[in-house]
């Protein structure tokens, strides 16, 4: 099972640790693209601060993120699972998983990123600020930029099993499973049961809880239909929209009343 996650806008800051080594990151086929984005981002942020803030869409209160990006080549790096914070990652709570669940997380979780393309949770990265919606001057829109390298690398990473897609739309734009891979992909929405509407907090927190539930249970559904059964056994209310044809992903709606 491969689980596709969005990153978090907010990230933990770590001042210590060895600097980033791009060649040591998972999915080495993405290395040239990563280095191109990294170089462009560092150059932008080491130059005109106001221009960098505008390009990155940062408020006045986030001005310090520009200086942080300018030092990415020498900043301390930590496992991505420690860098990403926010509602989804709080609910997932990787640090409190037992050893077996942590091993499953290292194998199965893939976090998408405007800067790195995608990383596994044990990949060591520095804290940064660069969303998939950014348009870098020398590279262009990152969502479009990543499509070609992702298309070359991600099908192999997906292997032969289930792909559980929990990404937000901006990050889903960087890679869309196609053909046979799409047929074993399940995309999940979390809906507030009384209104049938997506609510951001419900959505993110429940996705984190779903991943945690699968990891702690040692669940390994082989396809979307088996995933539906597994989630229901774990206590989730799931409605299914089977694919409309070959090469189409499944759509699963998880219904929640409230987050506990």
């Amino acid at each position: 099972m491969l689980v596709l996650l969005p990153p978090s806008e907010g990230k933990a800051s770590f001042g210590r640790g060895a600097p980033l080594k791009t060649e040591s990151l998972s999915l080495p086929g993405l290395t040239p693209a990563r280095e191109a984005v990294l170089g462009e981002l560092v150059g932008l942020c080491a130059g005109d601060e106001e221009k960098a803030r505008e390009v990155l869409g940062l408020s006045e209160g986030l001005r310090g993120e520009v200086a942080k990006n300018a030092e990415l080549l020498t900043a301390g790096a930590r496992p991505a699972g420690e860098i990403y914070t926010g509602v989804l990652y709080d609910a997932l709570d990787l640090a409190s998983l037992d050893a077996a669940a942590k091993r499953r997380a290292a194998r199965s979780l893939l976090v998408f990123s405007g800067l790195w393309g995608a990383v596994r949770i044990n990949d060591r990265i520095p804290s940064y600020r660069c969303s998939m919606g950014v348009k870098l001057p020398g590279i262009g829109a990152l969502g479009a930029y990543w499509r070609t390298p992702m298309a070359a690398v991600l099908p192999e990473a997906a292997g032969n099993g289930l792909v559980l897609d929990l990404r937000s739309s901006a990050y889903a734009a960087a890679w869309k499973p196609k053909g046979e891979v799409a047929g074993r992909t399940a995309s999940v929405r979390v809906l507030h049961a009384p209104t049938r509407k997506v609510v951001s907090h419900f959505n993110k927190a429940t996705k984190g809880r779903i991943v945690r539930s699968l990891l702690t249970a040692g669940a390994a559904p082989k396809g979307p239909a088996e995933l539906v059964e597994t989630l229901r056994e774990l206590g989730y209310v799931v409605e299914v929209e089977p694919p409309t044809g070959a090469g189409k992903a499944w759509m699963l709606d998880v219904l929640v009343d409230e987050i506990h």
Side-chain angles (χ1 to χ4, degrees), residues 1-2 160-165 177 179-188 214 220-232 238-243 247-253:
M1 177 174 65
L2 182 69
N160 298 315
L162 169 71
V163 177
L164 174 54
D165 190 353
E180 183 269 335
V181 178
R184 48 187 167 85
T185 296
S187 295
V188 172
L214 292 169
K222 300 185 183 305
E226 190 172 333
L227 172 66
V228 172
E229 294 178 8
T230 299
L231 290 177
R232 287 172 175 166
V238 184
E239 294 182 349
V240 185
E241 185 178 321
K248 301 288 186 179
W250 289 54
M251 291 296 302
L252 310 184
D253 287 337

Side-chain angles (χ1 to χ4, degrees), residues 3-83:
V3 181
L4 311 180
L5 295 175
S8 58
E9 288 298 322
K11 299 172 184 71
S13 294
F14 290 97
R16 297 182 178 181
L20 167 76
K21 293 183 179 180
T22 55
E23 68 275 13
S24 71
L25 298 178
S26 301
L27 309 178
L30 298 178
T31 299
R34 286 169 174 151
E35 292 179 344
V37 177
L38 179 62
E40 178 76 13
L41 180 63
V42 169
L44 171 70
C45 292
D48 186 331
E49 183 180 88
E50 290 304 317
K51 179 181 179 181
R53 195 159 64 87
E54 180 182 352
V55 169
L56 296 174
L58 300 176
S59 66
E60 176 66 30
L62 294 174
R63 181 181 293 273
E65 298 293 295
V66 175
K68 185 168 71 175
N69 281 349
E71 299 176 353
L72 285 174
L73 296 176
T74 56
R78 302 285 291 179
E82 297 178 14
I83 293 291

